[in-house]
Amino acid sequence: MIYKPQEYRIKDERMKPFIDESEIWEMLEEADASKENVRRIIKKSLDKNRLSLQETAALLKTEDPELIEEIKEGARTLKERVYGDRIVIFAPLYIGNKCTNNCTYCGFRASNKKQKRTTLSHDQIISDVKALEDNGQKRLILVYGEHPMYDADFIADSVKTVYKVKSGNGEIRRVNINAAPLDIEGYKKVKEAGIGTYQIFQETYNREAYSRYHISGKKADFDWRLTGLDRAQEALIDDVGIGALFGLFDWKFDVMGLVRHVNHFEACYNVGPHTISFPRIKAASDSTIDPKFEVSDGDFIRLVAILRLAVPYTGLILTARETQEIREEVIRLGVSQIDAGTNIQLGGYSEESREEQKLDHEQFEIGDTRSLGEVIDELLDKQYLPSFCTACYRKGRTGEHFMEFSVPGFIKRYCTQNAILTLAEYLEDYGTPEMKEKGYKLIELKKKELKDTQKVEQLEERLELVKKGERDLYF
């Protein structure tokens, strides 16, 4: 894939900071938000071209209700063209909440004496993973606090433990990581364990605001975190995920920061991020948040639409921090991955009942507590195609190759068919009779759509094999 990264005031160099705050503010102030320019920018994005910072700033600057609706409609159209109606599903699994950082917004902060500190043992990891597999999960992201105990060896060992767990037809086929930045040698150890994406959120790209929230601990080092995924790339982890925690600072500035980070990867590593996340700040045990930067529902929906247009080739992750209602609205604007059946209490999946959230046992409050089955049922009702696919990771379609998802025909060639196969697996192993009927009707509809552009004989053959008990078939 050929990238065309822009040049900005700070030259993009490997493992060196790249954020110029004055440049971002000037672009936001001087952006041309005329109807003619905004519509030109939307058209450029619909042709699957990444937007520059200046173009992103124009979308952020407009306050014209008509243009804002056109931005949203452009995002919906782009999602359909690039990603279709697939929604990839995963679950977070918290491994340990010990932490040496003091981040004022986080329940895991070191100074929070209310937080119950827990690190899952080998057996506890197995119990939680079995519970997740018995519900039908195939993709996990493991989450760790920043603590000397959770070093690269510890992370690698927990990844290996997860992959070894098999319960009935259940298995975890892709393990992603959300953890502290490592050094290059540390990333190499984690890569050898077979991880998928390594995810680090900058939280906010404004250095002064960052210092206010991150009082002490290694995370207080803005540049170490900013260059954390550069070191991952140097260790040949080519699937990385970036994100910002919206509500810490001006949301328009942090959208610009994310796009600037994208440009940095393109310029230095000839690859974009695998995913972008945009969690919104939520209540947490013993947390302190400045309400000045609270992001309204309307602005949240708008920023997701702008991110979709700004970076057409990158997956967008929407988490269960948001309510069911907000998730339903935002999914239509370009989201490609969601978590479902989420429980962020340490060891929570293997408990017999789902009680009310206990913030002294968890990192933050979540808004969507539905089960995996309930989420899949709703997706089917809305004609979305739930997917547990992990084929690209195992076929080597990662990093630069993953970016080819935006090439016309690629998704229909691989992703839709693989999504159909993983949905059929779920229906056969975990679906109720009503869900199976609904799910197979959708599969038939998707097969008919595929027949317009390609042969589906192999897909039909593999579907029959799934019904007969074979598993993990993919293209």
Side-chain angles (χ1 to χ4, degrees), residues 6 8 21-34 37-42 44 50-64 67-68 71 250-260 302-303 305-307 309-311:
Q6 293 79 40
Y8 297 110
E21 294 169 20
S22 62
E23 181 179 39
I24 289 176
W25 285 124
E26 287 171 18
M27 288 182 179
L28 286 169
E29 178 66 27
E30 298 170 3
D32 176 5
S34 65
N37 193 46
V38 169
R39 286 168 177 161
R40 176 193 66 79
I41 292 167
I42 294 171
K44 175 182 175 180
R50 183 178 64 76
L51 303 183
S52 68
L53 280 179
Q54 292 91 335
E55 290 164 334
T56 304
L59 300 186
L60 290 165
K61 187 175 182 179
T62 184
E63 297 297 336
D64 183 331
L67 288 179
I68 290 173
I71 288 169
D250 184 280
W251 67 269
K252 295 182 180 181
F253 183 96
D254 280 326
V255 168
M256 293 284 281
L258 287 167
V259 177
R260 181 67 184 88
R302 183 177 162 196
L303 76 84
I306 292 171
L307 281 171
L309 292 174
V311 195

Side-chain angles (χ1 to χ4, degrees), residues 15-20 181 200-202 204-205 207 210 219 221-231 242 257 260-261 264-265:
M15 297 190 289
K16 291 186 178 181
F18 50 86
I19 295 292
D20 185 318
I200 297 173
F201 299 164
Q202 186 61 25
T204 177
Y205 287 87
R207 190 179 293 269
Y210 186 95
K219 193 171 178 178
D221 188 336
F222 180 91
D223 290 340
W224 173 257
R225 193 166 187 87
L226 184 65
T227 57
L229 290 174
D230 282 41
R231 295 188 296 279
I242 64 174
R260 181 67 184 88
H261 208 157
H264 177 75
F265 284 134

